[in-house]
Amino acid sequence: MNWLVRALSSSVGKKFVMAITGLLLCGFLVVHLAGNFLLYVSPEAYNEYAHKLHSQEQLLMVAEVGLFALFIFHIYLAFSLTRDNQQARNVSYARRETKIEVPGPTRRISNWMMATGFVVLGFLILHLADFKFEARSFDYEGKEPFDKAVMILKNPVTMGLYLAGSIALWVHLTHGFSSAFQSLGLLHPKIKCTIEWIGIIFAGAIGIGFGSFVVWAMIQ
Amino acid sequence: MSTVSTTTLNSRVPSGPMDQRWENRKQELKLVNPANKRKYNIIIVGTGLAGASAASSLAELGYNVKSFCLQDSPRRAHSIAAQGGINAAKNYPNDGDSVWRLFYDTVKGGDFRARESNVYRLAYLSNLIIDQCAAQGVPFAREYGGTLANRSFGGAQVSRTFYARGQTGQQLLLGAYSSMMRQVEAGRVKLFPRKEMMDLVVVDGVARGIVTRDLVTGKYESFAADAVLLCTGGYGNVYYLSTNAKNCNVTAAWRCYKRGAYFANPCFTQIHPTCIPTSGHYQSKLTLMSESLRNDGRVWVPKQQNDPRSPDQIPHEERDYFLERRYPAFGNLVPRDVASRAAKERCDAGFGVGTTKMAVYLDFQDAIGRLGEETVRARYGNLFDMYQKITDDNPYKVPMRIYPAVHYTMGGLWVDYHLQSTVPGLFVLGEANFSDHGANRLGASALMQGLADGYFIIPYTVGDHLASTSPGKITTEHPAFAATMADAVGRAEQIMAVNGSRSVDSIHRELGSLMWENVGMSRTAEGLTATIDQIRRLRHEFWKNVKVMGSGEEFNQNLEHAGRLADFLEFAELLTNDALNRNESCGGHFRAEYQAENEALRDDENYCYAAAWEFNGVDQAPQLHKEPLTFEEVHLTTRSYK
Amino acid sequence: MSESLDLTLKVWRQASHDAQGAFRTYQLSGISIDMSFLEMLDVLNEHLINRGEEPVAFDHDCREGICGTCGVVINGQPHGPDTKTTTCQLHMRRFKNGDTIVIEPWRASSFPVVKDLVVDRSAFDRIMQAGGYVSVNTGNAPDANAVLVPGRDQEKAMDAAACIGCGACVAACKNASAMLFVSAKVSQLAILPQGKPERAERVLKMVARMDEENFGSCTNTYECEAACPAAISVTNIARLNREYFKAMLVSDPV
């Protein structure tokens, strides 16, 4: 397996792992968002879903370890690649202008991946503290999942931070989605435009989807 | 002016039937034992088509190759700029081509001043070149079914030109470069980029190494070898303005000449008719546009002298389509030299156009009317874009302005059939030698010659030379190396010490305009004689008044240029002497006294020879050695394009 | 036609690789709009020499956009404001009277400055020697028509082969990545049947050498494509990634 480690630790290999972990995390986002939409169906539906999910303890654990691993790889490689890239240009330009004449919808955003990644990471930590570890100063005692969600989301601090997180996620995915296809070598000219648009729509759907919950909670 | 030697040069041309000479010679050549090859060192100066192909081929055989170039990478040699294509006698289009016909066309195109046996070998090897390059992954143009495409080029009657868009030279060079880089990785070729050859080391009459200057540190070094291959291109920049790259120079060849190698036919220079004219005094070089433009463009000037009107204001009947008028049979497709001279004649007579009045129109209006703009765009789109980028004129709307420019030099160091110069152990390949094009080179033949020399000739002939010497006999410890290096260092110090008031560029420009006006397209005995004095005066001016900034111990482009100009200033005199000696007009050499009804008048009785010049000292007349040229297969005829 | 410009130039001056560099400001007047950018620098250098100052070192050779020798960053853009244009093809009519022009060398750790605007791009040669070739010895070739190359494949290969190796892609990339350069050669030889036998080994070796030379990684910003004077497309980078993926999974380890 030496060859695999070697191949994956090259610059191109690292980008593969970035792309694959990124796309898998996108898959997670879809499942998570679908589950959350049950909030809109009815409190009962959401509670039933939450209880069912938490009753599968072993399965949940495997999933959480898997997700954790995906995040760790994705984040570690982001740092590793950024360090390599900074070393590759040790002196910066006095002046810099793009030569991209008509910047495509996703192009400039690529410069914001690290910044938006940081915001998303903060969002994730906060979110885990809120829901999984119940570490914030809410009164979690004896609340059903639906009530708990409404309680947390209604909080003005949460609202602001979650909105910021959702927007960051939106931006992050706008470049990340199609970029992953390019890194995997799948952005053939025939489908390039389609994938780029799917990426934009997907990122918008995810960003608006997650952002919608705080807006929804506000009017509850 | 010159003394004539009675000794004849030994060109080592094989005897026997023309079509078997090279095969017979290969059988006679001595071989080097495979186990011994790695003991031999070969120095190759230059990494263009000839140098890169020789380096890869010799390294593949097992020799130790050291490859030098003055560019930052071997891939940047000037072969890369060739646009049109490369000829080969494949006869894929089934239109009647053959090795013999390519040979015949090349001898005739060269105006009967090339060595028949060499030209035949060139045509014979041409097919192998295409095979080799295609196998390297050179993306030659293809038909939809996948077979190779050909086009007709430079007025040839058959389609024998292979091409890769308008970048054939680039693709062929990158093919040769990649093969060489493979040998670099294998450790058989050692690269020395940004190292300029400053002199040749000769020990007991045999070439044994070179002295170089590292262009980054300014350090001088010497390298010993069992053979030295000079692949350093042509000397077009003696005219300052030419289509050559700015760093092209005669220094390496000139150093060898001063160490005993004869210089042959320097007056055979080629002027290309379709270049973009100068726009001002600051002009630094000229850009060539493929002569395929003349297939559809019509060349004209106003009938009225100094006509101030813009071209669209000049009605058809007030235009002089001078090529069509003078040469009804060939019209705009007359050979390069004829078209060039006609354009210069019109401009000198006051009919020139543009701001400098040194240009003629090349008009596509009729072609666009006949074929439609789309077809014209498909054929010439990239050339039109290039023209617009430089001039800001849109050639679809207004006629192009063109003017001739120095493009290629047929002359070069004299070599025998083995490509060896008069200094044993010194071989000269590609444009740097004089061998195959006679007085005029046909379109798409330069690439062919460079690669034939490097891939398929030198691997055989250099082996023959090495087999008769023991490897590593002379090292850089030999006193000749120290002495040669001291000469090179001294020369640079001398230049730095002048500390005058004129920039290198300004002297080079003056030399260029002197050469262009008097030793360019049209030459006269009177003008040439006067020019020799002026060159000497300018040379004197250089050594008295040149100003070079910086020091010799650093990256110093100003000093590099000065060193090359110093050699051009000596070489220019030889070129002019050669032009004065050749009392005839042939190919690229046109003497105004020798013409009949505007046609060049060749003198086969007295000048059917290659003029090889031997150095006798600066300011001394060189000694002329004549290599008589005999024509057994192609009979001497007069070119006519009326 | 005789319009002329007065310009302020801010030029990076650095005596040698180890020396400290800095911008120097020069005034130029009467620059014809028909001059090429390099001719404008020639004029500057003539002035400097006449004033007894050292001329600005800059790399250049063919001055017709094919050799890949020239290349400076002009007002933050590699090869200046025009697309599909090398520095030598850029003309002064692109600038306005009174403009200030900032001129810098390519900036990349893999391209150390030699002097002023001149950089050392030999890293590109070392990447090429790692695998940018077809292993065919002289004399070994079959007849050129024995291997058919469909016209469309030839066109694609030629698109990739047009790379002039100038390094503008590295200069333009925020990560100083050489992926466009490497992918152009990998693509050319992956498309052509002549390159197929070595395609897996080639892409692995060239990427490994690219990493050894400390170029950055590709983050799909596509600035390289916009800066490329030879119009090399980032589609080639996708193809390189694909080739690498295939080579990694299905080829024998190298």
Side-chain angles (χ1 to χ4, degrees):
Chain A
M1 292 305 272
N2 230 346
W3 59 271
L4 187 65
V5 174
R6 216 169 48 228
L8 289 179
S9 40
S10 72
S11 60
V12 176
K14 283 180 186 170
K15 289 291 293 180
F16 278 145
V17 181
M18 272 306 262
I20 289 168
T21 53
L23 286 178
L24 288 174
L25 288 169
C26 283
F28 161 69
L29 289 175
V30 171
V31 174
H32 188 12
L33 187 64
N36 285 8
F37 274 138
L38 290 171
L39 282 172
Y40 295 159
V41 176
S42 68
E44 294 76 27
Y46 182 77
N47 288 339
E48 192 192 338
Y49 159 72
H51 287 308
K52 254 197 190 139
L53 196 66
H54 285 277
S55 65
Q56 314 274 343
E57 265 183 41
Q58 280 162 334
L59 208 65
L60 199 63
M61 198 145 86
V62 173
E64 283 178 342
V65 168
L67 275 175
F68 187 70
L70 289 182
F71 272 113
I72 290 295
F73 268 115
H74 198 76
I75 293 165
Y76 165 74
L77 288 175
F79 280 106
S80 156
L81 284 166
T82 304
R83 194 197 54 221
D84 292 351
N85 292 342
Q86 280 168 350
Q87 279 170 1
R89 161 138 321 119
N90 50 359
V91 182
S92 50
Y93 290 106
R95 195 174 159 193
R96 239 176 106 61
E97 302 285 340
T98 182
K99 280 190 87 165
I100 297 175
E101 282 184 317
V102 188
T106 69
R107 295 200 170 168
R108 294 291 172 73
I109 289 169
S110 61
N111 294 334
W112 294 91
M113 293 307 276
M114 198 64 186
T116 52
F118 263 115
V119 177
V120 171
L121 180 63
F123 177 31
L124 174 70
I125 292 167
L126 177 70
H127 184 57
L128 286 175
D130 283 346
F131 284 83
K132 184 166 173 63
F133 301 112
E134 302 189 341
R136 270 174 75 191
S137 57
F138 292 113
D139 177 18
Y140 292 103
E141 266 315 299
K143 287 224 163 59
E144 278 294 294
F146 181 87
D147 299 330
K148 180 170 130 187
V150 173
M151 173 188 72
I152 295 171
L153 293 174
K154 266 183 108 71
N155 176 284
V157 178
T158 316
M159 213 178 284
L161 293 175
Y162 275 37
L163 262 183
S166 299
I167 291 168
L169 190 59
W170 184 350
V171 174
H172 198 79
L173 292 181
T174 302
H175 173 75
F177 187 85
S178 59
S179 176
F181 282 85
Q182 170 80 356
S183 293
L184 292 171
L186 301 175
L187 222 48
H188 192 274
K190 274 192 281 195
I191 54 163
K192 184 171 179 176
C193 198
T194 316
I195 296 275
E196 283 187 353
W197 276 109
I198 291 176
I200 291 163
I201 294 164
F202 176 80
I206 295 283
I208 294 170
F210 281 112
S212 71
F213 297 115
V214 283
V215 183
W216 167 79
M218 200 159 46
I219 53 173
Q220 282 295 305
Chain B
M1 46 159 264
S2 61
T3 50
V4 182
S5 165
T6 47
T7 58
T8 30
L9 291 154
N10 181 7
S11 58
R12 290 202 274 179
V13 168
S15 52
M18 187 63 76
D19 58 355
Q20 288 159 32
R21 285 183 182 176
W22 176 235
E23 289 302 327
N24 289 343
R25 175 53 52 85
K26 282 204 289 188
Q27 286 171 28
E28 294 158 16
L29 293 173
K30 285 183 276 216
L31 297 172
V32 177
N33 181 315
N36 281 341
K37 286 198 175 108
R38 65 185 166 76
K39 297 179 189 159
Y40 286 99
N41 281 304
I42 301 173
I43 281 174
I44 302 180
V45 187
T47 57
L49 286 175
S53 60
S56 64
S57 304
L58 292 169
E60 284 159 10
L61 290 174
Y63 295 111
N64 267 318
V65 174
K66 290 190 175 72
S67 164
F68 296 81
C69 66
L70 51 82
Q71 295 87 352
D72 71 323
S73 162
R75 65 180 289 153
R76 308 209 195 279
H78 189 57
S79 305
I80 204 152
Q83 297 171 359
I86 175 166
N87 286 332
K90 283 282 195 186
N91 192 30
Y92 284 153
N94 196 32
D95 59 357
D97 200 9
S98 64
V99 167
W100 199 89
R101 199 177 285 275
L102 174 56
F103 154 70
Y104 173 87
D105 286 352
T106 309
V107 170
K108 181 169 175 250
D111 221 356
F112 300 92
R113 291 295 175 264
R115 196 187 284 149
E116 256 193 339
S117 303
N118 283 51
V119 178
Y120 192 90
R121 176 176 62 185
L122 176 66
Y124 174 72
L125 294 173
S126 64
N127 293 341
L128 292 177
I129 297 171
I130 302 303
D131 298 341
Q132 184 64 33
C133 296
Q136 288 168 347
V138 169
F140 283 124
R142 301 268 174 169
E143 306 295 348
Y144 280 107
T147 53
L148 286 149
N150 287 108
R151 65 181 170 200
S152 158
F153 196 81
Q157 308 269 19
V158 291
S159 288
R160 60 159 77 101
T161 303
F162 295 78
Y163 61 100
R165 290 201 190 138
Q167 293 132 273
T168 317
Q170 178 197 30
Q171 294 309 315
L172 293 175
L173 180 64
L174 293 182
Y177 158 81
S178 67
S179 289
M180 179 172 75
M181 294 312 281
R182 172 171 160 246
Q183 296 303 317
V184 172
E185 186 75 356
R188 301 238 67 88
V189 173
K190 194 159 167 29
L191 270 189
F192 296 92
R194 289 207 205 263
K195 278 199 204 292
E196 182 169 12
M197 172 177 164
M198 303 308 289
D199 216 334
L200 180 75
V201 182
V202 180
V203 179
D204 300 329
V206 179
R208 291 294 185 182
I210 60 170
V211 170
T212 63
R213 178 174 179 268
D214 185 308
L215 299 183
V216 176
T217 62
K219 208 176 131 209
Y220 288 81
E221 289 160 281
S222 58
F223 298 87
D226 301 292
V228 176
L229 274 53
L230 208 67
C231 314
T232 51
Y235 47 81
N237 278 347
V238 70
Y239 293 89
Y240 188 77
L241 288 179
S242 79
T243 65
N244 284 8
K246 291 292 284 179
N247 291 317
C248 292
N249 65 80
V250 77
T251 289
W254 193 246
R255 297 282 136 213
C256 294
Y257 167 74
K258 290 175 91 170
R259 296 282 173 196
Y262 296 179
F263 209 113
N265 299 340
C267 77
F268 290 158
T269 53
Q270 186 171 72
I271 314 279
H272 199 290
T274 52
C275 298
I276 300 175
T278 58
S279 64
H281 59 89
Y282 46 80
Q283 191 83 26
S284 61
K285 81 148 270 171
L286 297 169
T287 301
L288 174 116
M289 292 182 297
S290 169
E291 67 183 328
S292 63
L293 287 171
R294 286 195 286 141
N295 288 339
D296 287 306
R298 297 180 71 192
V299 177
W300 64 274
V301 291
K303 279 186 177 162
Q304 184 192 323
Q305 274 182 338
N306 292 316
D307 196 327
R309 290 174 295 177
S310 69
D312 55 316
Q313 300 296 315
I314 302 176
H316 199 77
E317 57 279 6
E318 291 178 40
R319 300 174 176 188
D320 176 15
Y321 294 90
F322 56 93
L323 289 179
E324 296 169 25
R325 171 170 59 82
R326 285 188 197 167
Y327 310 100
F330 278 74
N332 294 298
L333 290 172
V334 288
R336 291 174 175 180
D337 54 328
V338 178
S340 300
R341 271 197 303 278
K344 182 172 192 292
E345 186 277 325
R346 285 290 84 191
C347 292
D348 289 346
F351 295 93
V353 299
T355 43
T356 58
K357 299 286 170 205
M358 291 309 257
V360 299
Y361 289 127
L362 179 63
D363 197 336
F364 287 85
Q365 275 320 305
D366 291 347
I368 289 170
R370 190 178 67 225
L371 304 164
E373 191 169 317
E374 274 322 295
T375 309
V376 171
R377 191 184 303 277
R379 285 186 193 170
Y380 308 111
N382 61 337
L383 295 168
F384 279 32
D385 290 348
M386 179 171 85
Y387 180 82
Q388 185 160 13
K389 218 172 247 181
I390 293 175
T391 61
D392 206 26
D393 280 346
N394 177 356
Y396 295 99
K397 303 274 175 257
V398 294
M400 285 182 171
R401 283 170 291 113
I402 58 165
Y403 199 64
V406 174
H407 174 54
Y408 187 88
T409 55
M410 281 72 69
L413 290 178
W414 184 90
V415 290
D416 62 17
Y417 192 68
H418 292 195
L419 304 182
Q420 185 171 258
S421 70
T422 49
V423 177
L426 174 68
F427 294 79
V428 190
L429 287 67
E431 191 180 351
N433 75 26
F434 89 113
S435 74
D436 297 351
H437 306 296
N440 178 47
R441 178 179 65 77
L442 290 184
S445 285
L447 305 182
M448 174 169 75
Q449 188 223 335
L451 291 178
D453 288 0
Y455 283 135
F456 298 112
I457 299 173
I458 207 70
Y460 295 90
T461 59
V462 90
D464 181 69
H465 166 74
L466 295 174
S468 49
T469 63
S470 48
K473 210 166 105 185
I474 307 273
T475 68
T476 51
E477 301 300 310
H478 191 282
F481 282 83
T484 310
M485 192 191 291
D487 286 352
V489 175
R491 211 157 36 233
E493 282 171 353
Q494 218 181 322
I495 291 174
M496 295 301 301
V498 176
N499 199 19
S501 60
R502 271 192 78 176
S503 74
V504 180
D505 220 42
S506 77
I507 301 176
H508 197 168
R509 278 179 199 275
E510 189 177 335
L511 173 68
S513 76
L514 199 58
M515 297 300 286
W516 176 249
E517 288 306 325
N518 302 304
V519 202
M521 267 180 280
S522 182
R523 305 156 174 178
T524 62
E526 193 188 354
L528 293 168
T529 313
T531 304
I532 290 174
D533 287 338
Q534 285 172 300
I535 293 169
R536 289 185 171 179
R537 179 192 55 73
L538 196 60
R539 193 159 65 222
H540 187 66
E541 162 85 357
F542 175 90
W543 287 107
K544 224 181 67 189
N545 204 16
V546 75
K547 180 170 182 176
V548 178
M549 302 304 304
S551 82
E553 289 80 44
E554 59 173 345
F555 187 87
N556 189 339
Q557 291 168 316
N558 207 204
L559 175 62
E560 290 167 29
H561 189 183
R564 293 168 199 162
L565 175 59
D567 289 331
F568 274 133
L569 283 163
E570 292 175 10
F571 168 74
E573 186 177 327
L574 180 72
L575 196 166
T576 312
N577 262 321
D578 187 45
L580 189 57
N581 171 68
R582 195 168 279 278
N583 292 316
E584 62 164 349
S585 295
C586 63
H589 170 65
F590 185 82
R591 282 279 299 275
E593 308 95 313
Y594 304 98
Q595 56 178 323
E597 297 166 45
N598 257 329
E599 288 297 323
L601 208 57
R602 223 173 54 216
D603 180 355
D604 292 328
E605 199 143 317
N606 296 305
Y607 291 95
C608 199
Y609 63 78
W613 301 91
E614 181 186 3
F615 181 65
N616 265 341
V618 182
D619 296 327
Q620 301 296 313
Q623 172 126 343
L624 175 64
H625 301 261
K626 295 179 183 174
E627 182 199 343
L629 299 169
T630 50
F631 293 89
E632 302 163 40
E633 299 283 322
V634 186
H635 299 295
L636 288 157
T637 53
T638 308
R639 292 196 309 168
S640 174
Y641 298 95
K642 286 263 172 181
Chain C
M1 280 303 221
S2 55
E3 259 181 87
S4 69
L5 308 172
D6 296 341
L7 300 166
T8 304
L9 303 181
K10 290 176 78 173
V11 185
W12 183 261
R13 303 300 309 260
Q14 184 174 338
S16 68
H17 172 59
D18 302 316
Q20 191 75 24
F23 282 98
R24 286 279 303 277
T25 305
Y26 303 102
Q27 304 294 336
L28 270 186
S29 56
I31 295 297
S32 160
I33 57 164
D34 290 325
M35 272 187 204
S36 73
F37 192 83
L38 296 185
E39 283 166 351
M40 183 274 293
L41 288 181
D42 290 342
V43 170
L44 171 69
N45 279 346
E46 279 291 298
H47 283 315
L48 291 178
I49 292 169
N50 289 336
R51 288 207 313 242
E53 288 179 47
E54 268 222 50
V56 178
F58 62 93
D59 255 339
H60 63 97
D61 203 11
C62 80
R63 296 204 178 194
E64 50 186 82
I66 192 74
C67 73
T69 310
C70 69
V72 291
V73 174
I74 300 160
N75 286 340
Q77 294 177 311
H79 292 306
D82 288 340
T83 54
K84 294 177 200 166
T85 299
T86 56
T87 303
C88 62
Q89 292 171 311
L90 177 67
H91 279 68
M92 295 313 291
R93 61 182 78 92
R94 199 63 176 71
F95 297 90
K96 288 195 295 292
N97 194 29
D99 273 0
T100 297
I101 306 176
V102 182
I103 308 170
E104 296 175 77
W106 287 173
R107 299 282 189 200
S109 313
S110 314
F111 290 166
V113 171
V114 172
K115 184 177 184 177
D116 296 342
L117 303 172
V118 177
V119 297
D120 176 2
R121 287 167 291 194
S122 54
F124 270 6
D125 289 322
R126 292 189 290 275
I127 294 174
M128 285 292 287
Q129 77 187 55
Y133 46 75
V134 172
S135 296
V136 53
N137 282 0
T138 304
N140 256 333
D143 183 87
N145 261 346
V147 182
L148 298 180
V149 182
R152 218 164 27 177
D153 287 352
Q154 180 270 325
E155 287 287 327
K156 274 196 290 184
M158 184 61 223
D159 286 341
C163 169
I164 60 172
C166 65
C169 46
V170 176
C173 177
K174 68 188 170 80
N175 307 327
S177 167
M179 281 285 271
L180 194 67
F181 170 78
V182 179
S183 70
K185 191 46 77 178
V186 166
S187 286
Q188 179 202 341
L189 297 179
I191 293 165
L192 293 172
Q194 288 88 353
K196 290 222 155 72
E198 298 171 272
R199 63 195 285 190
E201 208 175 321
R202 176 181 308 116
V203 68
L204 293 175
K205 282 182 171 173
M206 288 181 80
V207 167
R209 187 65 55 89
M210 173 182 85
D211 288 349
E212 280 169 36
E213 295 289 343
N214 294 317
F215 289 100
S217 64
C218 174
T219 46
N220 308 327
T221 310
Y222 307 152
E223 287 284 352
C224 53
E225 181 182 63
C228 178
I232 306 294
S233 159
V234 292
T235 299
N236 293 305
I237 298 184
R239 191 182 284 105
L240 179 148
N241 289 335
R242 202 153 64 232
E243 289 290 319
Y244 190 86
F245 201 52
K246 275 192 279 186
M248 179 175 78
L249 292 179
V250 299
S251 75
D252 290 331
V254 283

